[in-house]
Amino acid sequence: MTATSGPRPVRAARGTSITAQGWQQEAAMRMLMNNLDPEVAEHPDELVVYGGTGKAARNWASFDAMVRTLQTLKNDETMLVQSGKPVGVMQTHEWAPRVLLANSNLVGDWANWEEFRRLEALGLTMYGQMTAGSWIYIGTQGILQGTYETFAAVAAKLSHKGSAIATAVNDTLAGTITLTAGLGGMGGAQPLAVTMNGGVAVCIDCDERSIDRRVEHGYLDVKANSLDHALQLATEARDKREPLSIGVLGNAAELVPQLLAMDAPIDIVTDQTSAHDPLAYLPLGVDFHDMKQFAKDKPAEFTQRARESMAKHVEAMVGFQDKGAEVFDYGNSIRGEAQLAGYTRAFDFPGFVPAYIRPLFCEGKGPFRWAALSGEASDIAKTDKAILDLFPENESLARWIKMAGERVHFQGLPARICWLGYGERDKAGARFNDMVASGELAAPIVIGRDHLDAGSVASPYRETEAMADGSDAIADWPLLNAMVNVASGASWVSIHHGGGVGMGRSIHAGQVTVADGTKLAGEKVRRVLTNDPAMGVIRHVDAGYDRADEVADERGVRVPMREG
Ligand code: NAD
């Protein structure tokens, strides 16, 4: 028993010498550790990886017990993890996952933050977010590609709209200013995603460390001295049609309304503060340095004030929309929180999934990612090249892989993300496994995905907002997805509640599969990476999307109700 174990810097081992009984277990252990690497995690001492309080382990004693267990776990055993704490080891079989995880799940009537916090305070649960509790968070790059795709879709929409504000040219954001807030683990991708699309971004954060960290990592270009200074820099760059991202310190609930009142020339507005968790959003009139203590001492009062502040923030976003700006919710539940505070127009602007991403989901497409267990950047460079070879016709994929190779700063184990769909992921996975087998790559590759995904999420404020058949809240799909991944041979599989948008608002599943170069891994990778994205196709066929029907026909996805 290591009850006294406490915070310390954690870093995954690199290279080919392993301390577990096999690569599948070693991979799970390295990815757990990698999630908590100070280069990767937002608050590693508290085991918080990203997204407010998203954790990789319940407490340090649980972390130690998981590492210890993974080191002795046999190739026909499975470790069970209940919200960040290992609770059992079962004899299973070689095709079974080595780890099964369930994070933050609560029964419907109890699925709210208040009850969750009560249980968390008793040490009975933890918030797993999405990739934090499923050990496949790879730092800010993870969301960079999705954000890049989303802003590319915004640019395409603006350039085809031809309205007074539509100054985007050739489907880029050149000549536009985007206003957003939140430069945390996920939100920190926004400035680089905007400049990669050629635009100007003004990004507000109340924590100077978040701003400095993004500048340090090359995700943010400059820090402004004041709001006026930020606006001056933004308009100058916009006029020269040059990309530039500017960080500005302050509370978004104050600065966004201020910019609206100033009639600032903003074309696009979104937000990525941690609004899904009202205890992680700084209320108006509270000093940032007092935030934590206040949230701890008076959570109910803090929640109320945070929600009222979000209402002001969202009201100003709606104000920008009324003036013709392109406004969207970027998956943090800020509309829902503002509505709880009594603001009635909160849902006047759409979520980003129905606005831009759903057609991709119909193809089973979403954020596919992998990490090199060797720790060598050259392994990722080789896999980048493999992706370019496999999909030569996909220009936007090629643009992304090239830019990512040049501009993405690795955090922790070298990793890559790109959006691939049904019929593509299995090809990439098989190629990676072959490259490990032939010795072209120095060590195995871990292959997973985000939970921002086509077929493994029920989240009515985000991934399943405004489904064509009204099935937004049907949560059978993520459960089927998890079961399919277990049955197909994934290395670890997880079922979560509340990630991204908060308690009571989502159920989602994750899978990670290790390409260790063996024949068995090749078989598992092929099945998992076929069946996992197939869930996205069938989910959208079932909901009545024509594009999903086409994909099912073209690529041979079987849907019984369409046969016979
Ligand atoms: P984080 O906790 O790492 O960062 C949040 C940032 O917001 C912090 O830097 C904090 O200082 C800042 N902030 C809080 N209140 C503020 C205020 N009033 N004004 C200005 N800044 C404020 O969170 P994250 O990982 O960056 O995630 C942000 C949000 O995005 C979460 O709600 C998360 O669930 C959501 N999310 C969206 C997607 C997506 O695909 N769109 C993916 C993952 C997460």
Side-chain angles (χ1 to χ4, degrees):
M1 195 69 190
T2 46
T4 52
S5 66
R8 84 227 58 156
V10 168
R11 188 171 184 265
R14 269 73 172 155
T16 50
S17 151
I18 67 173
T19 54
Q21 308 300 306
W23 269 112
Q24 306 282 316
Q25 302 88 313
E26 177 79 14
M29 183 173 71
R30 287 194 191 184
M31 292 309 289
L32 162 63
M33 291 179 165
N34 195 56
N35 266 18
L36 293 169
D37 185 321
E39 255 182 62
V40 177
E42 292 295 309
H43 306 291
D45 285 356
E46 296 152 48
L47 300 149
V48 169
V49 183
Y50 78 98
T53 56
K55 291 169 79 171
R58 182 129 24 122
N59 48 40
W60 285 99
S62 297
F63 169 79
D64 287 334
M66 289 194 286
V67 169
R68 207 169 53 231
T69 308
L70 284 166
Q71 282 176 337
T72 52
L73 198 74
K74 300 198 184 86
N75 291 330
D76 64 350
E77 289 180 334
T78 298
M79 175 173 77
L80 302 189
V81 178
Q82 180 257 322
S83 291
K85 185 176 91 170
V87 290
V89 173
M90 310 271 170
Q91 184 178 10
T92 53
H93 53 87
E94 255 197 325
W95 271 83
R98 295 285 71 84
V99 190
L100 291 173
L101 308 103
N103 283 313
S104 330
N105 295 287
L106 294 173
V107 171
D109 272 4
W110 285 260
N112 55 60
W113 278 117
E114 203 185 4
E115 179 63 3
F116 175 77
R117 302 257 187 249
R118 189 183 75 78
L119 296 165
E120 190 185 28
L122 290 171
L124 299 174
T125 188
M126 73 162 199
Y127 186 47
Q129 254 290 7
M130 294 191 141
T131 52
S134 53
W135 309 343
I136 187 69
Y137 183 70
I138 56 168
T140 303
Q141 184 195 172
I143 196 171
L144 176 61
Q145 211 269 342
T147 314
Y148 165 79
E149 289 275 352
T150 303
F151 280 107
V154 174
K157 186 173 168 196
L158 287 185
S159 55
H160 302 141
K161 191 159 94 176
S163 79
I165 61 123
T167 46
V169 282
N170 297 332
D171 291 3
T172 76
L173 292 176
T176 66
I177 301 177
T178 297
L179 170 65
T180 186
L183 289 171
M186 301 275 99
Q190 298 177 102
L192 184 52
V194 171
T195 54
M196 278 178 155
N197 277 293
V200 174
V202 175
C203 308
I204 303 164
D205 201 293
C206 58
D207 181 355
E208 196 151 19
R209 282 172 314 172
S210 291
I211 299 179
D212 292 341
R213 198 167 186 201
R214 301 311 151 207
V215 172
E216 208 180 295
H217 288 173
Y219 276 67
L220 182 69
D221 295 325
V222 288
K223 177 164 73 172
N225 307 323
S226 65
L227 194 59
D228 286 335
H229 184 215
L231 215 47
Q232 183 203 331
L233 292 171
T235 45
E236 281 170 12
R238 179 204 59 188
D239 293 347
K240 288 191 246 161
R241 300 187 107 68
E242 279 174 7
L244 183 71
S245 58
I246 306 146
V248 58
L249 184 64
N251 190 326
E254 186 180 340
L255 300 192
V256 178
Q258 216 170 305
L259 285 163
L260 180 70
M262 288 159 72
D263 212 10
I266 305 294
D267 303 291
I268 300 151
V269 188
T270 188
D271 175 63
Q272 246 188 335
T273 55
S274 273
H276 70 278
D277 176 358
L279 290 184
Y281 181 97
L282 181 67
L284 282 165
V286 176
D287 188 274
F288 171 72
H289 300 100
D290 301 333
M291 177 175 172
K292 267 207 167 135
Q293 199 58 43
F294 180 19
K296 197 163 165 236
D297 294 346
K298 296 180 182 164
E301 187 187 330
F302 189 103
T303 298
Q304 180 60 19
R305 285 186 58 181
R307 286 190 172 138
E308 283 164 6
S309 306
M310 286 189 236
K312 295 221 158 52
H313 185 168
V314 171
E315 187 179 11
M317 292 173 79
V318 170
F320 274 114
Q321 178 169 263
D322 289 345
K323 288 189 180 185
E326 180 76 12
V327 181
F328 59 95
D329 173 300
Y330 204 20
N332 66 353
S333 250
I334 196 163
R335 294 171 302 170
E337 294 297 318
Q339 193 178 48
L340 284 173
Y343 178 56
T344 53
R345 292 188 62 198
F347 282 85
D348 273 19
F349 55 85
F352 73 110
V353 173
Y356 317 109
I357 304 294
R358 186 141 303 136
L360 302 177
F361 279 179
C362 290
E363 298 179 33
K365 212 168 193 169
F368 174 74
R369 57 179 60 174
W370 62 98
L373 294 177
S374 64
E376 290 177 20
S378 57
D379 273 1
I380 292 299
K382 287 174 192 163
T383 54
D384 281 351
K385 195 171 168 305
I387 292 286
L388 295 175
D389 289 346
L390 279 170
F391 309 108
E393 71 295 343
N394 190 334
E395 281 174 32
S396 79
L397 176 68
R399 195 166 64 227
W400 159 256
I401 292 285
K402 191 166 166 288
M403 273 196 292
E406 287 163 5
R407 301 192 61 173
V408 167
H409 166 101
F410 292 134
Q411 293 166 260
L413 288 169
R416 182 65 74 227
I417 182 163
C418 69
W419 282 43
L420 294 179
Y422 181 85
E424 297 171 330
R425 292 186 190 192
D426 57 315
K427 289 196 180 72
R431 176 70 70 89
F432 295 171
N433 198 55
D434 289 346
M435 291 165 79
V436 176
S438 70
E440 191 182 342
L441 299 178
I445 297 283
V446 159
I447 307 171
R449 58 159 170 77
D450 197 355
H451 299 200
L452 164 74
D453 181 58
S456 61
V457 194
S459 184
Y461 289 143
R462 205 164 95 173
E463 288 81 353
T464 53
E465 175 175 345
M467 293 295 285
D469 63 348
S471 60
D472 306 19
I474 298 283
D476 297 333
W477 299 100
L479 304 185
L480 283 172
N481 175 269
M483 289 190 270
V484 161
N485 282 317
V486 169
S488 303
S491 304
W492 59 98
V493 177
S494 56
I495 297 178
H496 297 213
H497 161 226
V501 283
M503 287 298 136
R505 294 174 180 160
S506 63
I507 309 267
H508 43 102
Q511 70 79 14
V512 182
T513 304
V514 183
D516 61 18
T518 57
K519 194 162 170 287
L520 179 63
E523 283 296 316
K524 291 178 176 180
V525 161
R526 189 180 64 71
R527 283 172 175 75
V528 172
L529 297 182
T530 300
N531 298 340
D532 184 43
M535 289 297 303
V537 180
I538 67 172
R539 169 72 179 103
H540 290 84
V541 166
D542 196 74
Y545 288 90
D546 293 343
R547 177 67 191 131
D549 280 336
E550 282 167 21
V551 173
D553 288 342
E554 286 162 8
R555 305 185 201 175
V557 181
R558 288 192 60 188
V559 182
M561 297 302 279
R562 299 181 76 241
E563 292 175 349

